[in-house]
């Protein structure tokens, strides 16, 4: 029997970028541009409002908060006196909103971006039409030094999103949302990333080839996929999985994936084998295994990821399940 998460918080816009820091759950609200802290009691605390909508979160070794500004193409830093200052300007590097971000123990930040205006496209077209040749634009991950200077860029990826570091810090796993896969990159001594290779495919190879086909088979597949995009049909499907946020399981080897296509978190092994599914009430954008004992699966869910619609609905939720 599939287990289901239970409601923890509601009335949010687009909760995202779940983090556990100093005994509390932190998250951004992409619709309202705010960063929140929740200790598990009462309502979450609003820590700050970020110009250009808050995105990915992380902390420098000295405890200062870094937060991505999605629409400004910047990373901000919250100083000890609560002054919000520019940490890095990425506008010349990004093709769309700045997205999720991972900050490692040395203070190096790895920042992804959409590569294009995804929401403008999705308001007019089914997602499947993104794959009509030449396909969706790709985007690199920006690798930043602790002082915010640019260390380098990765090879272009298909919507680089949630990221994880391996326990030994030698590799980073990134969710390529629009490629429906998890990709592993090696972490070089200087903090740059290289040598991307598959960690887990979350779509069948046949379907992936068909949806990207330039000829008639591709047009037919994209048309059928567009019909199946209807929420009442999508929630009954088991595949494919579009990975958004990702989190290590308590075993440190398998990965929980927030499935942006439907209401679930999926635990997968390297190679792509699905091990568990946890149902959520809405589409899931971020997940995290944390809590005071490290055994709670948190999920950020939304009725829509469109920030304009979500800001009006305030239907975003945090859901949770003890593993």
């Amino acid at each position: 029997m599939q287990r289901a998460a239970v409601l923890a918080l509601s009335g949010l816009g687009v909760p995202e970028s779940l983090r556990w820091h100093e005994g509390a759950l932190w998250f951004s609200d992409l619709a309202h541009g705010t960063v929140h802290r929740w200790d598990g009691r009462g309502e979450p605390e609003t820590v700050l409002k970020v110009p250009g909508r808050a995105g990915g979160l992380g902390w420098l070794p000295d405890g200062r908060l870094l937060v991505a500004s999605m629409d400004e193409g910047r990373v901000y830093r919250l100083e000890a006196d609560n002054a919000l200052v520019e940490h890095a300007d990425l506008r010349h590097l990004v093709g769309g909103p700045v997205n999720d971000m991972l900050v490692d123990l040395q203070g190096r930040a790895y920042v992804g971006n959409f590569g294009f205006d995804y929401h403008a496209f999705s308001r007019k077209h089914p997602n499947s039409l993104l794959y009509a040749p030449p396909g969706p634009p790709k985007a690199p991950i920006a690798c930043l030094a602790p002082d915010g200077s640019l260390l380098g860029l990765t090879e272009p990826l298909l919507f680089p999103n949630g990221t994880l570091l391996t326990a030994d810090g030698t590799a980073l796993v990134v969710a390529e949302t629009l490629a429906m896969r998890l990709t592993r990159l090696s972490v070089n001594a200087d903090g740059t990333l290289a040598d991307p290779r598959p960690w887990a495919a979350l779509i069948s190879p046949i379907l992936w080839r068909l949806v990207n086909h330039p000829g008639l088979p591709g047009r037919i597949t994209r048309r059928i996929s567009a019909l199946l995009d209807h929420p009442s049909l999508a929630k009954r499907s088991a595949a494919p999985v579009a990975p958004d946020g990702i989190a290590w399981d308590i075993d440190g080897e398998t990965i929980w994936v927030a499935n942006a296509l439907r209401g679930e978190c999926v635990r997968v092994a390297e190679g792509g084998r699905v091990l568990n599914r946890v149902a959520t009430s809405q589409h899931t954008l971020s997940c995290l295994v944390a809590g005071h004992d490290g055994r709670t699966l948190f999920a950020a869910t939304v009725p829509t990821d469109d920030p304009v619609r979500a800001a009006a609905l305030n239907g975003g939720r945090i859901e949770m399940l003890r593993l």
Side-chain angles (χ1 to χ4, degrees):
M1 180 181 296
Q2 186 183 48
R3 302 178 72 189
V6 299
L7 181 64
L9 294 173
S10 60
L12 307 169
V14 179
E16 249 279 21
S17 302
L18 299 179
R19 305 285 189 266
W20 188 262
H21 181 66
E22 295 185 343
L25 181 72
W26 291 65
F27 60 92
S28 296
D29 188 326
L30 275 57
H32 298 299
T34 45
V35 176
H36 302 269
R37 179 187 180 276
W38 184 56
D39 63 5
R41 297 169 294 182
E43 294 299 311
E45 169 194 0
T46 300
V47 178
L48 75 158
K49 187 175 179 65
V50 178
R53 293 195 300 130
L57 302 173
W59 287 265
L60 293 169
D62 62 8
R64 288 177 295 171
L65 173 69
L66 298 184
V67 55
S69 171
M70 299 187 71
D71 295 335
E72 285 199 350
R74 291 184 170 95
V75 175
Y76 283 103
R77 186 179 67 247
L78 185 65
E79 296 289 352
D81 62 358
N82 288 324
L84 193 65
V85 302
E86 182 180 290
H87 185 71
D89 186 346
L90 306 177
R91 287 175 295 175
H92 61 296
L93 302 173
V94 302
V98 171
N99 196 20
D100 215 339
M101 175 176 65
L102 180 149
V103 182
D104 71 10
L105 295 177
Q106 289 74 43
R108 298 178 300 206
Y110 299 93
V111 191
N113 75 94
F114 286 18
F116 66 107
D117 191 338
Y118 167 77
H119 293 300
F121 182 93
S122 64
R123 287 171 190 141
K124 298 179 180 179
H125 310 285
N127 276 348
S128 60
L129 295 189
L130 281 167
Y131 300 98
K138 295 182 178 182
I141 296 174
C143 311
L144 304 178
D147 65 0
S149 60
L150 183 68
L151 293 172
L153 301 173
T154 66
E155 294 182 22
L157 302 166
L158 266 177
F159 209 103
N161 210 327
T163 48
L164 296 172
L165 276 173
T166 56
D168 62 6
T170 62
L172 179 144
V173 179
V174 59
E176 288 190 83
T177 303
L178 293 182
M180 301 183 197
R181 66 185 172 217
L182 304 182
T183 298
R184 181 188 187 278
L185 298 101
S186 299
V187 179
N188 296 324
D190 63 358
T192 57
L193 303 175
D195 190 27
R197 54 188 184 273
W199 195 90
L202 302 174
I203 184 174
S204 77
I206 294 174
L207 180 54
W208 181 245
R209 286 196 298 269
L210 284 172
V211 79
N212 288 280
H213 196 285
L216 181 61
R219 292 194 294 273
I220 293 173
T221 302
R222 291 188 289 272
R223 180 65 62 86
I224 294 172
S225 296
L227 295 174
L228 296 177
D229 273 349
H230 193 279
S232 63
L233 297 175
K235 69 180 182 181
R236 291 176 171 82
S237 175
V241 173
D244 196 323
I246 55 177
W248 290 115
D249 181 56
I250 53 178
D251 63 14
E253 297 179 354
T254 59
I255 291 177
W256 284 97
V257 174
N259 187 358
L261 293 179
R262 60 189 70 89
E264 65 177 1
C265 293
V266 181
R267 185 167 73 96
V268 299
E270 187 171 1
R273 183 165 63 97
V274 173
L275 303 174
N276 298 99
R277 293 180 185 269
V278 169
T280 61
S281 66
Q282 308 177 106
H283 288 198
T284 311
L285 300 186
S286 183
C287 62
L288 177 69
V289 177
H292 295 288
D293 62 359
R295 301 186 66 89
T296 298
L297 174 66
F298 295 94
T301 74
V302 292
T304 174
D305 64 358
D306 185 312
V308 176
R309 292 175 57 204
L313 292 172
N314 282 325
R317 300 169 179 168
I318 304 292
E319 305 178 36
M320 55 192 289
L321 175 74
R322 181 172 167 78
L323 299 175

